[in-house]
Amino acid sequence: MKFGGTSVRDAAAMAQMIEIVRGRWEAGREPVVVLSALAGTTDALIQCAEAAHRGREPEALRLLDEAIIAKHKEAVEGLLEDPTRRQLLLDSMEKHFQEIQTLLKGLAILGELTPRSLDAVLAYGERLSTLIATAAMQERGLPAHWLDARELIVTDEQFTQAEPLMAESQARVEERVKPLVGAKIPVTQGFVGATRDGRTTTLGRGGSDYSAAVLGTLLGAEEIEIWTDVDGVMTADPRVVPEARTIKELSYTEAAELSYFGAKVLHPKTIRPAVERGIPLRILNTFNPQAEGTRIVGEPTRKRVVKAITTIKGLSLVNVEVRGMLVVPGVAARVFTAVARERINVLMISQSSSEQSICFVVEAPAAPKAVEALREAFERELSRRLIDRVHAQDGVAIVAVVGAGMRNTPGIAAKAFGALGRAGINVVSIAQGSSEHNLSIVVGERDADEAVRAIHREFQLHKEEPDA
Ligand code: ADP
Ligand code: ASP
Ligand code: MG
């Protein structure tokens, strides 16, 4: 059971979370609990670290006091009644606060912030939330047992974007978690891991979902539950499309595509480990626990063709315009080799790439680097005018139409484009995912939300999903 930041944002939310866990425990299930940091904490820790390394130590410490320490103490006040237990908890939290202060002062002296030191700071958010939750569960009579995720999730050394090493983590989980399951309620941190030699890492923003999936998979869980602040995965981001509906069932592939193309409700890497062992996932609402939520399984029984529309903003379209494609062999291969060498993530390769151009989408901050790498790779062709130019168009977004049934249903793309045309939205570029489970459309960033609404209306996703 993984609970996100809003599900543990304050004493009331934590109390609610604990009752949900109690429900599972008393029903004879054997929960393992993975928690995020209190909502806003990771952002605040990043701000503290950035202020500190720019030499603004007083500001960093003030922010720590106001945005983090005060909030956590308030949660403790609201949750724990027993004075001894409360004091014990506050004492151990105080040690953590002091460690963060020491780290921030170190950053201010060094004047630099490496990914490694950032991870050391960020990991405190989840340590604090789990400490509080464990004490509160114990006070409420649940046999909670705090575990340090750094001793469970072994990762590689890509600080701030670490990858769990499954075999090594499996051994840790066998030794340290399995024996507790059913006798205790293990409570541990999402988002956090450590390298083989024990240096703290994090799995990337929103990575607690991924932690839960990894742990659930290593434990061979019956189900991986992701508890959040909406009734499940919806047909679109409810902040963009107020009439969006909860989707009852998704296939693993559909869920993976949705999260990859911007549905924040699930971290994009969450699906992969679960697929391998065929473990179903469920997305549930902490603030409406009776709702059915979304089930993510291998073979959904419901077969609506288009399931959801998502969007990712803040992108750039990089274009290599080729004059004599035929006389410059291997252009595409060289384009993507050059980009891969810079470790730039290509979100989509555009299909409209005619013979005369190759284009692909990257996150906006990576675009200048991509353009530079390509200019270098094609220097000779550029000077011989075999390649016209290499350039990036900023301010674009991908709108993705997702659904496994699209493969066998003609006319989906035409319908989507019709809707955009009627809404007066210009399509910059398109691609069909190789899985044919999604159609990706590039539009101007300012049009993205309206595009999502237009396509959502066109496929009538606000209506109840038909039964199988
Ligand atoms: P948590 O803190 O629980 O991990 P997140 O904020 O990461 O929660 O994810 C939940 C949020 O994702 C929702 O509140 C919603 O605003 C947003 N969201 C974006 N797209 C979707 C979608 N298709 N379905 C549901 N929620 C979505
Ligand atoms: N606390 C981390 C973040 O805000 C991880 C998570 O909540 O999933 O990114
Ligand atoms: Mg999240």
Side-chain angles (χ1 to χ4, degrees), residues 2 4-5 36 205-209 226 228 264-267:
K2 176 262 173 176
S36 286
R205 293 307 307 273
S208 292
D209 299 334
I226 309 285
T228 183
K264 189 191 170 214
V265 63
L266 267 187
H267 185 277

Side-chain angles (χ1 to χ4, degrees), residues 76-307:
V76 172
E77 297 298 320
L79 267 170
L80 289 163
E81 287 187 353
D82 178 62
T84 323
R85 195 188 295 273
R86 187 194 283 183
Q87 201 47 54
L88 223 62
L89 174 60
L90 287 172
D91 290 347
S92 99
M93 284 166 60
E94 192 51 46
K95 267 191 231 132
H96 286 76
F97 296 144
Q98 280 168 15
E99 285 171 21
I100 304 175
Q101 281 157 356
T102 308
L103 274 170
L104 293 177
K105 286 177 187 161
L107 292 176
I109 292 168
L110 288 172
E112 69 169 14
L113 181 61
T114 61
R116 180 178 164 184
S117 45
L118 182 61
D119 275 354
V121 174
L122 295 192
Y124 279 93
E126 271 69 10
R127 280 225 280 300
L128 289 165
S129 68
T130 49
L131 281 173
I132 298 174
T134 304
M137 288 166 83
Q138 288 167 349
E139 184 170 288
R140 287 161 174 73
L142 291 173
H145 185 104
W146 189 85
L147 289 172
D148 191 334
R150 295 173 299 178
E151 294 176 3
L152 310 177
I153 305 295
V154 185
T155 74
D156 66 12
E157 304 193 351
Q158 289 181 66
F159 294 95
T160 73
Q161 283 295 332
E163 256 318 309
L165 304 172
M166 293 303 267
E168 270 108 327
S169 306
Q170 180 79 62
R172 304 282 185 93
V173 166
E174 294 293 333
E175 186 193 334
R176 292 165 200 239
V177 191
K178 277 224 173 122
L180 296 172
V181 173
K184 300 272 184 192
I185 303 179
V187 176
T188 194
Q189 303 85 50
F191 182 53
V192 175
T195 59
R196 288 192 182 102
D197 54 359
R199 286 170 295 156
T200 304
T201 54
T202 66
L203 312 188
R205 293 307 307 273
S208 292
D209 299 334
Y210 188 28
S211 300
V214 166
L215 257 184
T217 303
L218 295 176
L219 285 164
E222 265 170 48
E223 191 167 71
I224 298 162
E225 295 182 350
I226 309 285
W227 290 84
T228 183
D229 59 355
V230 283
D231 280 352
V233 181
M234 307 183 78
T235 51
D237 185 338
R239 290 167 299 185
V240 175
V241 184
E243 65 273 21
R245 269 183 177 270
T246 302
I247 304 167
K248 290 187 173 147
E249 253 186 1
L250 284 170
S251 70
Y252 288 127
T253 327
E254 287 170 331
E257 299 264 344
L258 266 163
S259 57
Y260 181 78
F261 285 107
K264 189 191 170 214
V265 63
L266 267 187
H267 185 277
K269 290 179 182 166
T270 311
I271 304 297
R272 206 187 335 138
V275 174
E276 281 164 26
R277 309 256 315 240
I279 301 174
L281 279 110
R282 203 118 75 92
I283 319 302
L284 293 153
N285 189 349
T286 303
F287 306 100
N288 184 18
Q290 304 310 324
E292 246 180 90
T294 301
R295 259 175 79 76
I296 301 173
V297 294
E299 287 291 325
T301 52
R302 289 164 183 272
K303 300 274 191 234
R304 185 183 247 181
V305 174
V306 168
K307 293 278 183 78

